[in-house]
Amino acid sequence: MNIPSLQQQVSAEEWQLRVDLAACYRLVAAYGWSDLVFTHISAKLPSSVAGDEHQFLINPYGLMFDEITASSLVKVDMQCNKLHDSPFPVNPAGFVIHSAIHEARPEAGCVLHTHTRAGVGVSAQKHGILPLSQQSTFVLSSLAYHDYEGVAIRDDEKTRLQADLGTANYLVLRNHGLLTVGRNIPEAFLAMYTFENTCRIQIDALAGGGEVVAVNPAILDGVAHAMKVQTSGMGGQFVWPSLLRKLERLDPGYKT
């Protein structure tokens, strides 16, 4: 798309964040979680770059997720106003959810939201996430729900969304989709990978028609420790290099 590179116009720290966020968008597309040009993944710029201001990177509205590059990402403030010249529009309505979470959770480096078939399907089930798989145990250890209030374009919904999320890192948006909160981009991505698979497994298990077996509730108490063991205490950073190697094989153009 002949997008001029911003690498020489931003700090090395911002550029690395841009590369990682572009990679995240490409991975979401590669795993089939995108919804045309809709939904968003936002990444917060660190204070070393933004100072005391709250600044974020978000997708250029109208681009498919597998088209997004580091240079095409748009830098915005809490009101989703563009902070640099960009030929691409932004979608302020789509940033309502993200700005609410970043405001309430200052440690949130990344917020990832999807509208997948399995995620929306489970969000419409009254019982929500069930303890039917190993994957579900990780989700259930930090899960919250937010009732559907229509398309998220009203600022007054923010306070209710913030209250419902609380300190959880997995959020089921009823009749809408899934959302994960991470301290960084790899953490938010790995959480969504687990969340999405939890929903797919649940849909498949319930569709089988037979009686399902639930995980023993006592097992949930040790989930946080188990995750640390599984990832050597690194969380999403443990799998991120392998995911970037996957992108290198598919299309390294996200880094431009």
Side-chain angles (χ1 to χ4, degrees), residues 4 35 48 52 54 58 66 79-80 90 92-93 98 101 109 132 145 152 154 169 177 189 202 206 218 224 238 251 253:
D35 183 16
S48 57
D52 293 332
H54 295 288
I58 199 165
D66 62 0
Q79 287 72 48
C80 211
V90 291
H98 292 254
I101 294 172
L132 300 181
Y145 294 86
R154 302 186 314 276
N169 294 321
F189 181 85
Q202 179 167 313
L206 296 181
F238 184 77
D251 180 4

Side-chain angles (χ1 to χ4, degrees), residues 17 20-21 24 41-47 55-58 95 98 101-103 105-112 169 180-189:
L17 190 67
D20 283 338
L21 185 57
C24 191
I41 312 167
S42 58
K44 182 179 180 180
L45 287 161
S47 58
Q55 299 179 355
F56 310 90
L57 298 176
I58 199 165
F95 196 60
H98 292 254
I101 294 172
H102 283 297
E103 180 180 44
R105 299 280 295 275
E107 85 285 3
C110 181
V111 177
L112 201 167
N169 294 321
T180 58
V181 179
R183 290 169 298 178
N184 49 55
I185 292 167
E187 190 172 277
F189 181 85

